[in-house]
Amino acid sequence: PEPKRFTVADGQLMEIATASLPALLRLGSGGLSLGYQVGLTEDDGKYAVARVGGRKVAESSQVANLRRPAEPLELYEFEGCPFCKKVREAICILDLDVLVYPCPKDGATWRPKAISLGGKRQFPFLVDPNSGKQMYESDDIIAYLFQEYGNGAEVPLPLRLGALTTISCAVGAAPRAARGNVYRKSRLPAQPLVFWGYEMSPFVKLAREVLCELELPYLYRTAARGSPKRQELLDKRGVFQARGGRVPYLEDPNEGVYLFESSAIVQYLNDTYGVKA
């Protein structure tokens, strides 16, 4: 379907309302790239928030100048875990691409693998193939990410408030505790899917919940506000230029399918990889 900005699909209003609560309680953490700035510039036809009278509202950030990992990081996590959410926020702020291996309760594949690799039944679990580092503890992971891939930038305040950070993540997830946390029988893809999004978007959350429930591995191409990957997505699907290159956006290299719109992505994932009991 053609993507439509700020449009809620039929029957999705309550889903979007409950999925929006985490962003509200977390004050939008994970929605802006590190060093985010916005300003009015001459319209050059590239990605813009809005266009007015030959000028555009342009976004920028510091992430283009940050050190990037040669290989994607690997993250074992699950949707409803507040500690995992903290790490996802950090990943979006730093504009990192991460191979996500969802580990829902009773998951048959990635949860056992994570336990085998790290030796603990604990999440999130980060593997950095660039440094050989393997880590538990969300605060330690976040500090490591900012040190290695944030050029030593200070961890943003919303991520270093200790118990308050964790509690706000947990409370925000509570209305959707029944979604994205428990394994549903699925058929695993031969290759990981590619999923574009960012932590603050409720539309992205709805799609990510299903990815987790079905235990589908995916390359998470984070594209928070100010990310240069927004222009990359616009170049990839230029027909959506007027729409601003919206997310979520899913690419399935196994089936040759690409999709915008959370409701269409959710239906596709269920129909293609879900297995009825």
Side-chain angles (χ1 to χ4, degrees):
E2 180 183 359
K4 300 175 182 178
R5 297 190 81 178
F6 313 121
T7 300
V8 178
D10 291 342
Q12 201 184 30
L13 182 59
M14 186 55 66
E15 297 273 295
I16 292 298
T18 53
S20 297
L21 184 59
L24 294 174
L25 288 179
R26 296 289 299 135
L27 302 178
S29 180
L32 304 177
S33 300
L34 187 68
Y36 175 81
Q37 292 183 326
V38 62
L40 195 63
T41 65
E42 183 178 348
D43 190 355
D44 57 3
K46 294 185 177 181
Y47 174 81
V49 180
R51 290 180 164 84
V52 181
R55 297 178 71 79
K56 72 174 187 178
V57 179
E59 299 174 309
S60 63
S61 69
Q62 299 173 4
V63 296
N65 299 317
L66 299 179
R67 175 172 173 253
R68 304 287 81 181
E71 297 182 57
L73 309 181
E74 299 171 12
L75 182 65
Y76 295 80
E77 59 103 50
F78 63 97
E79 184 64 28
C81 167
F83 303 100
C84 298
K85 176 172 173 52
K86 289 163 58 177
V87 171
R88 291 197 307 267
E89 288 180 6
I91 285 168
C92 288
I93 292 168
L94 292 171
D95 200 46
L96 294 169
D97 290 344
V98 177
L99 268 171
V100 176
Y101 294 101
C103 299
K105 181 182 178 183
D106 301 325
T109 304
W110 308 121
R111 182 174 279 246
K113 181 179 178 181
I115 295 170
S116 174
L117 284 172
K120 297 181 182 180
R121 297 177 180 271
Q122 182 177 329
F123 300 93
F125 175 56
L126 178 79
V127 177
D128 186 346
N130 304 279
S131 65
K133 197 85 170 177
Q134 297 186 358
M135 302 184 69
Y136 291 104
E137 300 297 340
S138 57
D139 288 340
D140 291 344
I141 292 172
I142 291 167
Y144 171 79
L145 293 176
F146 274 85
Q147 181 61 42
E148 291 293 311
Y149 302 112
N151 289 353
E154 184 177 29
V155 174
L157 182 62
L159 288 174
R160 51 183 170 88
L161 294 176
L164 184 58
T165 296
T166 304
I167 291 169
S168 60
C169 288
V171 173
R176 300 194 61 77
R179 299 303 307 270
N181 295 318
V182 179
Y183 174 67
R184 289 192 286 123
K185 192 173 181 181
S186 65
R187 175 179 67 87
L188 288 179
Q191 302 177 64
L193 310 182
V194 181
F195 183 67
W196 299 63
Y198 64 108
E199 188 64 23
M200 192 174 70
S201 168
F203 299 96
V204 170
K205 177 171 173 55
L206 295 181
R208 208 174 49 229
E209 287 175 348
V210 178
L211 287 165
C212 189
E213 290 172 354
L214 298 179
E215 206 184 36
L216 302 176
Y218 60 96
L219 177 64
Y220 193 12
R221 302 218 61 198
T222 60
R225 292 285 183 184
S227 168
K229 280 178 276 187
R230 292 190 168 225
Q231 181 63 46
E232 183 181 340
L233 180 55
L234 199 58
D235 293 339
K236 181 185 286 282
R237 298 265 75 94
V239 66
F240 302 117
Q241 183 163 343
R243 306 267 180 202
R246 277 206 41 196
V247 292
Y249 172 67
L250 178 77
E251 297 172 302
D252 186 347
N254 305 280
E255 304 291 336
V257 168
Y258 66 85
L259 285 170
F260 286 98
E261 296 298 325
S262 59
S263 58
I265 291 171
V266 165
Q267 180 177 339
Y268 172 77
L269 294 174
N270 283 320
D271 291 348
T272 306
Y273 294 108
V275 175
K276 294 183 179 180

